[in-house]
PDB file of all heavy atoms in Angstrom:
ATOM      1  N   ALA A  77      10.578  24.425  33.421  1.00 93.00           N
ATOM      2  CA  ALA A  77      10.617  25.392  34.328  1.00 93.00           C
ATOM      3  C   ALA A  77      11.970  25.739  34.808  1.00 93.00           C
ATOM      4  O   ALA A  77      12.224  26.991  35.181  1.00 93.00           O
ATOM      5  CB  ALA A  77       9.796  24.920  35.505  1.00 93.00           C
ATOM      6  N   LYS A  78      12.895  24.871  34.766  1.00 94.00           N
ATOM      7  CA  LYS A  78      14.285  25.325  35.219  1.00 94.00           C
ATOM      8  C   LYS A  78      15.288  25.296  34.057  1.00 94.00           C
ATOM      9  O   LYS A  78      16.476  25.594  34.297  1.00 94.00           O
ATOM     10  CB  LYS A  78      14.821  23.909  36.093  1.00 94.00           C
ATOM     11  CG  LYS A  78      13.999  23.842  37.380  1.00 94.00           C
ATOM     12  CD  LYS A  78      14.476  22.570  38.208  1.00 94.00           C
ATOM     13  CE  LYS A  78      13.856  22.372  39.422  1.00 94.00           C
ATOM     14  NZ  LYS A  78      14.341  21.194  40.145  1.00 94.00           N
ATOM     15  N   ASN A  79      14.716  25.258  32.816  1.00 95.00           N
ATOM     16  CA  ASN A  79      15.668  25.302  31.782  1.00 95.00           C
ATOM     17  C   ASN A  79      16.868  24.376  31.972  1.00 95.00           C
ATOM     18  O   ASN A  79      17.952  24.733  31.752  1.00 95.00           O
ATOM     19  CB  ASN A  79      16.157  26.770  31.347  1.00 95.00           C
ATOM     20  CG  ASN A  79      15.050  27.585  30.770  1.00 95.00           C
ATOM     21  OD1 ASN A  79      14.291  27.077  30.001  1.00 95.00           O
ATOM     22  ND2 ASN A  79      15.100  28.854  30.969  1.00 95.00           N
ATOM     23  N   THR A  80      16.513  23.139  32.254  1.00 97.00           N
ATOM     24  CA  THR A  80      17.422  22.169  32.577  1.00 97.00           C
ATOM     25  C   THR A  80      17.212  20.900  31.785  1.00 97.00           C
ATOM     26  O   THR A  80      16.045  20.409  31.667  1.00 97.00           O
ATOM     27  CB  THR A  80      17.588  21.814  33.968  1.00 97.00           C
ATOM     28  OG1 THR A  80      17.985  22.953  34.740  1.00 97.00           O
ATOM     29  CG2 THR A  80      18.613  20.720  34.275  1.00 97.00           C
ATOM     30  N   VAL A  81      18.292  20.394  31.106  1.00 97.00           N
ATOM     31  CA  VAL A  81      18.029  19.073  30.365  1.00 97.00           C
ATOM     32  C   VAL A  81      18.958  17.964  30.983  1.00 97.00           C
ATOM     33  O   VAL A  81      20.130  18.402  31.562  1.00 97.00           O
ATOM     34  CB  VAL A  81      18.477  19.322  28.906  1.00 97.00           C
ATOM     35  CG1 VAL A  81      19.937  19.610  28.604  1.00 97.00           C
ATOM     36  CG2 VAL A  81      18.017  18.105  28.008  1.00 97.00           C
ATOM     37  N   TYR A  82      18.422  16.846  31.004  1.00 98.00           N
ATOM     38  CA  TYR A  82      19.244  15.699  31.597  1.00 98.00           C
ATOM     39  C   TYR A  82      19.470  14.655  30.618  1.00 98.00           C
ATOM     40  O   TYR A  82      18.821  14.408  29.584  1.00 98.00           O
ATOM     41  CB  TYR A  82      18.330  15.038  32.768  1.00 98.00           C
ATOM     42  CG  TYR A  82      17.877  16.101  33.764  1.00 98.00           C
ATOM     43  CD1 TYR A  82      16.659  16.729  33.602  1.00 98.00           C
ATOM     44  CD2 TYR A  82      18.742  16.351  34.801  1.00 98.00           C
ATOM     45  CE1 TYR A  82      16.208  17.575  34.634  1.00 98.00           C
ATOM     46  CE2 TYR A  82      18.302  17.426  35.834  1.00 98.00           C
ATOM     47  CZ  TYR A  82      17.047  17.893  35.700  1.00 98.00           C
ATOM     48  OH  TYR A  82      16.632  18.796  36.630  1.00 98.00           O
ATOM     49  N   LEU A  83      20.483  13.878  30.813  1.00 98.00           N
ATOM     50  CA  LEU A  83      20.876  12.807  29.979  1.00 98.00           C
ATOM     51  C   LEU A  83      21.048  11.633  30.933  1.00 98.00           C
ATOM     52  O   LEU A  83      22.066  11.487  31.637  1.00 98.00           O
ATOM     53  CB  LEU A  83      22.135  13.025  29.145  1.00 98.00           C
ATOM     54  CG  LEU A  83      22.539  11.845  28.049  1.00 98.00           C
ATOM     55  CD1 LEU A  83      21.402  11.858  27.015  1.00 98.00           C
ATOM     56  CD2 LEU A  83      23.792  12.148  27.590  1.00 98.00           C
ATOM     57  N   GLN A  84      20.117  10.619  30.874  1.00 98.00           N
ATOM     58  CA  GLN A  84      20.330   9.427  31.535  1.00 98.00           C
ATOM     59  C   GLN A  84      21.033   8.475  30.739  1.00 98.00           C
ATOM     60  O   GLN A  84      20.505   8.095  29.743  1.00 98.00           O
ATOM     61  CB  GLN A  84      18.893   8.839  32.063  1.00 98.00           C
ATOM     62  CG  GLN A  84      18.901   7.561  32.850  1.00 98.00           C
ATOM     63  CD  GLN A  84      19.585   7.681  34.166  1.00 98.00           C
ATOM     64  OE1 GLN A  84      19.374   8.605  34.827  1.00 98.00           O
ATOM     65  NE2 GLN A  84      20.454   6.705  34.527  1.00 98.00           N
ATOM     66  N   MET A  85      22.135   7.864  31.284  1.00 98.00           N
ATOM     67  CA  MET A  85      22.944   7.031  30.382  1.00 98.00           C
ATOM     68  C   MET A  85      23.042   5.726  31.284  1.00 98.00           C
ATOM     69  O   MET A  85      23.527   5.531  32.320  1.00 98.00           O
ATOM     70  CB  MET A  85      24.368   7.624  30.241  1.00 98.00           C
ATOM     71  CG  MET A  85      24.365   8.945  29.637  1.00 98.00           C
ATOM     72  SD  MET A  85      25.907   9.543  29.275  1.00 98.00           S
ATOM     73  CE  MET A  85      26.602   9.654  30.995  1.00 98.00           C
ATOM     74  N   ASN A  86      22.538   4.665  30.624  1.00 98.00           N
ATOM     75  CA  ASN A  86      22.512   3.252  31.204  1.00 98.00           C
ATOM     76  C   ASN A  86      23.323   2.327  30.457  1.00 98.00           C
ATOM     77  O   ASN A  86      23.689   2.614  29.202  1.00 98.00           O
ATOM     78  CB  ASN A  86      21.067   2.740  31.201  1.00 98.00           C
ATOM     79  CG  ASN A  86      20.198   3.600  32.126  1.00 98.00           C
ATOM     80  OD1 ASN A  86      20.562   4.247  33.159  1.00 98.00           O
ATOM     81  ND2 ASN A  86      18.819   3.640  31.737  1.00 98.00           N
ATOM     82  N   SER A  87      23.666   1.196  31.012  1.00 98.00           N
ATOM     83  CA  SER A  87      24.469   0.310  30.290  1.00 98.00           C
ATOM     84  C   SER A  87      25.713   0.869  29.540  1.00 98.00           C
ATOM     85  O   SER A  87      25.967   0.601  28.416  1.00 98.00           O
ATOM     86  CB  SER A  87      23.636  -0.516  29.172  1.00 98.00           C
ATOM     87  OG  SER A  87      22.437  -1.091  29.769  1.00 98.00           O
TER      88      SER A  87
END
Side-chain angles (χ1 to χ4, degrees):
K78 297 180 180 179
N79 282 330
T80 299
V81 66
Y82 305 96
L83 184 68
Q84 178 66 43
M85 305 185 293
N86 298 327
S87 301

